[in-house]
Amino acid sequence: MGLMDGKRGVIFGVANEKSIAWGVAQQLRSAGAELAFTFLNEALEKRVRPLAESLESKIILPCDVAVDDDIASVFKELERQWGTIDFVVHAVAFARREDLKNPFSQTSREGFALAMDVSAYSLVAMTRFAIPLMPEGGSIVSMSYLGAVMAVPGYNVMGVAKAALESSVRYLAAELGKQNIRVNAVSAGPIKTLAASGIGNFNDKLHVMEERSPLGRTVTQEEVGKATLYLLSDLASGVTGEVHYVDSGFNISAG
Ligand code: NAD
Protein backbone atom coordinates (compact mmCIF):
# COMPACT_ATOMS: atom_id res chain seq x y z
CA MET A 1 0.00 0.00 0.00
CA GLY A 2 1.42 3.39 -1.01
CA LEU A 3 0.90 6.52 1.05
CA MET A 4 -0.85 8.22 -1.89
CA ASP A 5 -2.73 5.22 -3.34
CA GLY A 6 -6.03 6.40 -4.85
CA LYS A 7 -5.05 10.07 -4.68
CA ARG A 8 -4.97 12.35 -7.71
CA GLY A 9 -3.50 15.77 -8.19
CA VAL A 10 -1.90 18.31 -10.47
CA ILE A 11 1.66 19.61 -10.54
CA PHE A 12 2.42 23.10 -11.86
CA GLY A 13 6.08 23.91 -12.44
CA VAL A 14 8.00 21.13 -14.16
CA ALA A 15 10.38 22.67 -16.71
CA ASN A 16 12.92 19.82 -16.91
CA GLU A 17 14.39 16.96 -14.90
CA LYS A 18 16.19 19.42 -12.59
CA SER A 19 12.94 21.13 -11.51
CA ILE A 20 11.94 20.87 -7.87
CA ALA A 21 8.45 19.98 -9.14
CA TRP A 22 9.98 16.94 -10.87
CA GLY A 23 11.51 15.80 -7.57
CA VAL A 24 8.04 16.16 -6.02
CA ALA A 25 6.37 14.30 -8.91
CA GLN A 26 8.71 11.31 -8.58
CA GLN A 27 8.04 10.99 -4.85
CA LEU A 28 4.28 11.28 -5.32
CA ARG A 29 4.23 8.70 -8.08
CA SER A 30 6.32 6.20 -6.15
CA ALA A 31 3.86 6.61 -3.28
CA GLY A 32 1.02 5.66 -5.65
CA ALA A 33 -0.47 9.03 -6.68
CA GLU A 34 -1.96 9.65 -10.12
CA LEU A 35 -0.57 12.88 -11.58
CA ALA A 36 -1.52 15.60 -14.04
CA PHE A 37 1.11 18.07 -15.27
CA THR A 38 1.11 21.52 -16.83
CA PHE A 39 3.73 23.21 -19.01
CA LEU A 40 4.26 26.90 -19.74
CA ASN A 41 4.88 26.86 -23.50
CA GLU A 42 5.58 24.65 -26.50
CA ALA A 43 9.33 24.63 -25.95
CA LEU A 44 8.82 23.29 -22.42
CA GLU A 45 6.12 20.86 -23.54
CA LYS A 46 8.85 18.93 -25.39
CA ARG A 47 10.62 18.39 -22.07
CA VAL A 48 7.62 17.98 -19.79
CA ARG A 49 5.59 15.51 -21.87
CA PRO A 50 8.16 12.66 -21.88
CA LEU A 51 8.83 13.18 -18.16
CA ALA A 52 5.10 13.09 -17.37
CA GLU A 53 4.57 10.03 -19.56
CA SER A 54 7.41 8.24 -17.80
CA LEU A 55 5.22 8.47 -14.67
CA GLU A 56 2.17 7.14 -16.58
CA SER A 57 0.44 10.54 -16.63
CA LYS A 58 -2.30 11.02 -19.18
CA ILE A 59 -3.26 14.63 -18.43
CA ILE A 60 -0.61 17.08 -19.65
CA LEU A 61 -1.93 20.58 -20.25
CA PRO A 62 -0.67 24.07 -21.21
CA CYS A 63 -0.94 26.78 -18.56
CA ASP A 64 0.44 30.27 -18.13
CA VAL A 65 -0.39 30.96 -14.48
CA ALA A 66 -0.59 34.70 -15.22
CA VAL A 67 -3.75 33.98 -17.26
CA ASP A 68 -6.93 33.09 -15.33
CA ASP A 69 -8.51 31.40 -18.36
CA ASP A 70 -5.52 29.03 -18.61
CA ILE A 71 -5.83 28.04 -14.96
CA ALA A 72 -9.60 27.64 -15.35
CA SER A 73 -9.10 25.35 -18.37
CA VAL A 74 -6.74 23.10 -16.43
CA PHE A 75 -9.19 22.60 -13.57
CA LYS A 76 -12.11 22.20 -15.99
CA GLU A 77 -10.26 19.38 -17.71
CA LEU A 78 -9.36 17.77 -14.36
CA GLU A 79 -13.04 17.90 -13.40
CA ARG A 80 -14.06 16.38 -16.74
CA GLN A 81 -11.56 13.51 -16.48
CA TRP A 82 -11.37 12.89 -12.73
CA GLY A 83 -14.34 14.65 -11.12
CA THR A 84 -12.40 15.54 -7.99
CA ILE A 85 -8.76 16.00 -6.99
CA ASP A 86 -6.83 15.52 -3.74
CA PHE A 87 -3.84 17.81 -4.13
CA VAL A 88 -2.17 20.68 -5.99
CA VAL A 89 1.57 21.41 -6.19
CA HIS A 90 2.42 25.05 -6.92
CA ALA A 91 6.11 25.27 -7.94
CA VAL A 92 6.19 28.29 -10.24
CA ALA A 93 7.96 31.60 -9.94
CA PHE A 94 9.25 34.31 -12.26
CA ALA A 95 11.05 37.63 -12.04
CA ARG A 96 12.77 39.62 -14.77
CA ARG A 97 16.49 39.01 -14.89
CA GLU A 98 17.27 42.73 -14.50
CA ASP A 99 15.15 42.89 -11.35
CA LEU A 100 17.32 40.18 -9.81
CA LYS A 101 20.59 41.79 -10.95
CA ASN A 102 19.99 45.49 -10.25
CA PRO A 103 19.88 46.98 -6.73
CA PHE A 104 16.44 46.33 -5.20
CA SER A 105 15.54 50.04 -5.13
CA GLN A 106 15.75 50.03 -8.96
CA THR A 107 12.96 47.44 -9.35
CA SER A 108 10.45 48.74 -11.90
CA ARG A 109 6.73 48.93 -11.17
CA GLU A 110 6.07 46.43 -13.98
CA GLY A 111 8.80 44.05 -12.80
CA PHE A 112 7.47 44.14 -9.25
CA ALA A 113 3.89 43.46 -10.41
CA LEU A 114 4.98 40.65 -12.72
CA ALA A 115 6.98 38.84 -10.02
CA MET A 116 4.06 39.16 -7.59
CA ASP A 117 1.53 37.99 -10.17
CA VAL A 118 3.35 34.87 -11.38
CA SER A 119 5.03 33.90 -8.10
CA ALA A 120 2.41 34.78 -5.45
CA TYR A 121 -1.03 35.66 -6.84
CA SER A 122 -1.04 32.49 -8.96
CA LEU A 123 -1.36 30.42 -5.77
CA VAL A 124 -4.53 32.32 -4.84
CA ALA A 125 -6.00 31.89 -8.33
CA MET A 126 -5.11 28.19 -8.46
CA THR A 127 -6.64 27.57 -5.05
CA ARG A 128 -9.85 29.34 -6.08
CA PHE A 129 -10.26 26.98 -9.05
CA ALA A 130 -9.23 23.93 -7.00
CA ILE A 131 -11.79 24.42 -4.19
CA PRO A 132 -14.84 23.08 -6.10
CA LEU A 133 -12.83 19.96 -7.00
CA MET A 134 -12.03 19.24 -3.34
CA PRO A 135 -15.48 18.64 -1.80
CA GLU A 136 -14.09 16.29 0.87
CA GLY A 137 -10.93 18.31 1.44
CA GLY A 138 -7.45 18.34 -0.05
CA SER A 139 -3.89 19.56 0.31
CA ILE A 140 -2.06 22.35 -1.52
CA VAL A 141 1.69 22.94 -1.27
CA SER A 142 3.75 25.82 -2.66
CA MET A 143 7.52 26.40 -2.82
CA SER A 144 9.18 29.24 -0.94
CA TYR A 145 12.67 30.36 0.07
CA LEU A 146 14.35 31.97 3.08
CA GLY A 147 14.48 35.25 1.15
CA ALA A 148 10.81 35.66 2.17
CA VAL A 149 11.78 36.40 5.76
CA MET A 150 15.37 37.72 5.43
CA ALA A 151 17.01 40.13 2.97
CA VAL A 152 19.13 37.62 1.04
CA PRO A 153 21.62 39.33 -1.32
CA GLY A 154 20.51 39.08 -4.97
CA TYR A 155 17.05 37.63 -4.19
CA ASN A 156 15.44 41.09 -4.28
CA VAL A 157 11.93 41.28 -5.74
CA MET A 158 11.60 37.52 -5.54
CA GLY A 159 12.00 37.76 -1.76
CA VAL A 160 9.10 40.21 -1.62
CA ALA A 161 7.02 37.88 -3.80
CA LYS A 162 7.86 34.91 -1.54
CA ALA A 163 6.81 36.96 1.52
CA ALA A 164 3.44 37.54 -0.20
CA LEU A 165 3.30 33.86 -1.10
CA GLU A 166 3.90 32.74 2.51
CA SER A 167 1.30 35.20 3.77
CA SER A 168 -1.15 33.95 1.13
CA VAL A 169 -0.54 30.40 2.40
CA ARG A 170 -1.64 31.51 5.88
CA TYR A 171 -4.74 33.39 4.70
CA LEU A 172 -5.82 30.54 2.42
CA ALA A 173 -5.23 28.00 5.21
CA ALA A 174 -7.28 30.09 7.65
CA GLU A 175 -10.15 30.40 5.18
CA LEU A 176 -10.23 26.80 3.99
CA GLY A 177 -9.48 24.83 7.16
CA LYS A 178 -13.17 24.19 7.87
CA GLN A 179 -13.45 22.61 4.41
CA ASN A 180 -10.55 20.32 5.31
CA ILE A 181 -8.39 21.94 2.61
CA ARG A 182 -4.86 22.35 3.95
CA VAL A 183 -2.43 24.89 2.47
CA ASN A 184 1.29 24.83 3.28
CA ALA A 185 4.64 25.86 1.83
CA VAL A 186 8.02 24.18 1.72
CA SER A 187 10.90 26.62 2.09
CA ALA A 188 13.68 24.90 0.18
CA GLY A 189 17.40 25.52 0.38
CA PRO A 190 19.18 26.51 -2.85
CA ILE A 191 19.18 23.87 -5.61
CA LYS A 192 20.61 24.33 -9.12
CA THR A 193 17.61 24.66 -11.44
CA LEU A 194 16.59 26.78 -14.44
CA ALA A 195 14.90 29.38 -12.19
CA ALA A 196 17.90 29.46 -9.85
CA SER A 197 20.20 30.41 -12.74
CA GLY A 198 18.53 33.86 -12.76
CA ILE A 199 19.33 34.55 -9.09
CA GLY A 200 22.40 36.69 -8.44
CA ASN A 201 25.39 35.03 -6.65
CA PHE A 202 23.60 31.68 -6.70
CA ASN A 203 26.78 29.61 -6.37
CA ASP A 204 27.71 31.66 -3.30
CA LYS A 205 24.40 30.64 -1.74
CA LEU A 206 25.22 26.98 -2.29
CA HIS A 207 28.68 27.39 -0.74
CA VAL A 208 27.44 29.38 2.27
CA MET A 209 24.90 26.65 2.94
CA GLU A 210 27.55 23.93 2.72
CA GLU A 211 29.74 25.84 5.14
CA ARG A 212 27.15 27.09 7.61
CA SER A 213 24.14 24.77 7.72
CA PRO A 214 23.87 22.27 10.59
CA LEU A 215 23.88 19.34 8.12
CA GLY A 216 26.91 20.84 6.34
CA ARG A 217 25.53 20.38 2.83
CA THR A 218 22.90 21.57 0.41
CA VAL A 219 19.57 19.75 0.07
CA THR A 220 18.48 17.66 -2.88
CA GLN A 221 15.45 17.82 -5.13
CA GLU A 222 14.54 14.41 -3.69
CA GLU A 223 14.54 15.75 -0.12
CA VAL A 224 12.23 18.62 -1.07
CA GLY A 225 10.06 16.03 -2.83
CA LYS A 226 9.85 13.86 0.29
CA ALA A 227 8.82 16.79 2.52
CA THR A 228 6.19 17.84 -0.01
CA LEU A 229 4.90 14.26 -0.15
CA TYR A 230 4.50 14.36 3.64
CA LEU A 231 2.53 17.64 3.52
CA LEU A 232 0.30 16.35 0.72
CA SER A 233 -0.37 13.04 2.45
CA ASP A 234 -2.59 12.10 5.39
CA LEU A 235 0.53 11.98 7.58
CA ALA A 236 0.19 15.79 7.73
CA SER A 237 -3.60 15.76 8.32
CA GLY A 238 -3.22 18.17 11.25
CA VAL A 239 -0.81 20.55 9.51
CA THR A 240 -1.91 23.72 7.71
CA GLY A 241 -0.74 27.30 7.19
CA GLU A 242 2.86 26.30 7.82
CA VAL A 243 6.14 27.07 6.11
CA HIS A 244 8.15 23.88 6.41
CA TYR A 245 11.93 24.45 6.04
CA VAL A 246 13.90 21.89 4.05
CA ASP A 247 17.27 23.62 4.04
CA SER A 248 19.69 21.51 6.11
CA GLY A 249 18.70 23.64 9.12
CA PHE A 250 20.29 26.77 7.61
CA ASN A 251 17.39 29.00 8.74
CA ILE A 252 18.12 28.31 12.42
CA SER A 253 21.92 28.37 12.18
CA ALA A 254 23.87 31.35 13.46
CA GLY A 255 26.78 30.20 11.28
P1 NAD B 1 12.33 25.66 -12.46
O1 NAD B 1 12.83 26.67 -13.41
O2 NAD B 1 12.61 24.24 -12.75
O3 NAD B 1 10.77 25.83 -12.19
C1 NAD B 1 10.12 27.07 -12.28
C2 NAD B 1 8.85 26.81 -13.06
O4 NAD B 1 8.05 27.98 -13.12
C3 NAD B 1 9.14 26.39 -14.50
O5 NAD B 1 8.51 25.16 -14.78
C4 NAD B 1 8.51 27.50 -15.33
O6 NAD B 1 7.98 27.03 -16.54
C5 NAD B 1 7.41 27.92 -14.37
N1 NAD B 1 6.86 29.24 -14.72
C6 NAD B 1 7.46 30.46 -14.75
N2 NAD B 1 6.57 31.39 -15.17
C7 NAD B 1 5.40 30.74 -15.38
C8 NAD B 1 4.11 31.15 -15.82
N3 NAD B 1 3.83 32.42 -16.14
N4 NAD B 1 3.14 30.19 -15.94
C9 NAD B 1 3.39 28.90 -15.66
N5 NAD B 1 4.58 28.45 -15.23
C10 NAD B 1 5.57 29.37 -15.11
O7 NAD B 1 12.99 26.08 -11.04
P2 NAD B 1 12.71 25.55 -9.56
O8 NAD B 1 13.89 26.02 -8.80
O9 NAD B 1 12.36 24.12 -9.57
O10 NAD B 1 11.47 26.43 -9.10
C11 NAD B 1 10.27 25.86 -8.57
C12 NAD B 1 9.82 26.66 -7.35
O11 NAD B 1 10.73 26.43 -6.29
C13 NAD B 1 9.78 28.17 -7.56
O12 NAD B 1 8.68 28.71 -6.85
C14 NAD B 1 11.07 28.63 -6.90
O13 NAD B 1 11.03 29.97 -6.48
C15 NAD B 1 11.09 27.67 -5.73
N6 NAD B 1 12.38 27.56 -5.02
C16 NAD B 1 13.51 27.25 -5.70
C17 NAD B 1 14.71 27.14 -5.02
C18 NAD B 1 16.00 26.82 -5.74
O14 NAD B 1 17.07 27.06 -5.19
N7 NAD B 1 15.95 26.25 -6.93
C19 NAD B 1 14.75 27.34 -3.63
C20 NAD B 1 13.56 27.63 -2.96
C21 NAD B 1 12.38 27.74 -3.67
Side-chain angles (χ1 to χ4, degrees):
M1 280 290 283
L3 195 53
M4 300 297 280
D5 276 350
K7 291 197 191 278
R8 290 165 158 168
V10 56
I11 302 186
F12 292 83
V14 176
N16 56 39
E17 69 291 345
K18 297 227 163 77
S19 295
I20 288 178
W22 179 239
V24 174
Q26 289 172 297
Q27 291 300 316
L28 286 167
R29 184 63 189 149
S30 41
E34 199 174 340
L35 305 175
F37 288 84
T38 68
F39 55 86
L40 173 58
N41 54 34
E42 273 178 34
L44 288 176
E45 179 180 7
K46 291 196 182 73
R47 291 180 171 269
V48 176
R49 194 166 282 283
L51 290 172
E53 286 171 352
S54 75
L55 299 185
E56 292 90 33
S57 289
K58 294 188 179 64
I59 308 178
I60 306 160
L61 302 165
C63 184
D64 179 342
V65 300
V67 180
D68 277 345
D69 284 351
D70 279 18
I71 303 177
S73 302
V74 169
F75 285 95
K76 209 168 158 194
E77 186 59 18
L78 294 176
E79 186 174 22
R80 197 181 70 77
Q81 296 215 29
W82 287 344
T84 59
I85 59 171
D86 301 286
F87 62 86
V88 175
V89 176
H90 174 276
V92 297
F94 183 78
R96 287 184 188 154
R97 202 163 271 264
E98 64 263 31
D99 290 324
L100 297 169
K101 288 254 147 54
N102 293 337
F104 177 62
S105 61
Q106 304 305 306
T107 309
S108 67
R109 192 176 293 272
E110 298 75 33
F112 190 99
L114 179 65
M116 285 293 231
D117 187 18
V118 174
S119 317
Y121 178 73
S122 59
L123 176 69
V124 181
M126 251 178 228
T127 302
R128 185 167 65 250
F129 289 110
I131 293 168
L133 275 69
M134 294 178 159
E136 308 288 323
S139 180
I140 299 171
V141 173
S142 183
M143 295 297 151
S144 193
Y145 175 63
L146 188 61
V149 293
M150 295 172 79
V152 175
Y155 205 58
N156 298 3
V157 71
M158 190 52 77
V160 178
K162 292 299 189 195
L165 179 76
E166 292 188 4
S167 184
S168 301
V169 163
R170 288 186 284 274
Y171 277 95
L172 291 168
E175 177 188 331
L176 299 171
K178 293 275 190 316
Q179 297 174 56
N180 195 30
I181 298 175
R182 299 181 294 104
V183 188
N184 292 286
V186 167
S187 183
I191 298 175
K192 271 196 179 178
T193 62
L194 202 59
S197 65
I199 307 292
N201 314 319
F202 186 77
N203 283 335
D204 295 350
K205 290 181 186 33
L206 292 173
H207 293 140
V208 168
M209 195 167 162
E210 278 161 7
E211 279 165 20
R212 304 212 338 231
S213 69
L215 293 182
R217 61 174 177 82
T218 55
V219 292
T220 63
Q221 188 193 28
E222 186 189 349
E223 287 170 324
V224 177
K226 287 194 284 191
T228 307
L229 167 63
Y230 154 72
L231 288 169
L232 292 175
S233 79
D234 290 341
L235 291 181
S237 56
V239 181
T240 195
E242 290 217 346
V243 178
H244 189 81
Y245 284 89
V246 181
D247 67 348
S248 298
F250 185 69
N251 71 100
I252 53 99
S253 166

